Amino acid sequence: GYEGAAALPCVAAGEVLGVVWLGFRGPCPHAAGDRALGEMLAAQCAQALSRARLLAAQAEARAAAEASARHL
């Protein structure tokens, strides 16, 4: 089991896209460096989620445009 845990929001452009949950076998570290590392990880996850959303939207738009072109 876990003795400590941290939940860090994944925020991009002011929108919460998810949460990074970290479990620790010992007490949750509270050093500033540990917190900064966790926040950096959450920020990178948010950026990846945001890019994945954009890629999915682009693929949907392309598919819709191709379907419309076939009906012309």
Side-chain angles (χ1 to χ4, degrees):
Y2 299 107
E3 278 190 41
L8 303 165
C10 297
V11 181
E15 180 183 5
V16 177
L17 303 177
V19 175
V20 172
W21 185 87
L22 303 171
F24 300 96
R25 292 177 190 234
C28 185
H30 293 287
D34 294 327
R35 181 163 181 86
L37 179 62
E39 289 172 351
M40 184 181 69
L41 175 64
Q44 288 182 351
C45 289
Q47 185 179 42
L49 289 168
S50 181
R51 288 181 179 179
R53 282 182 167 187
L54 290 172
L55 185 62
Q58 179 186 32
E60 288 177 23
R62 177 175 287 151
E66 288 173 354
S68 292
R70 282 193 295 269
H71 293 339
L72 293 178

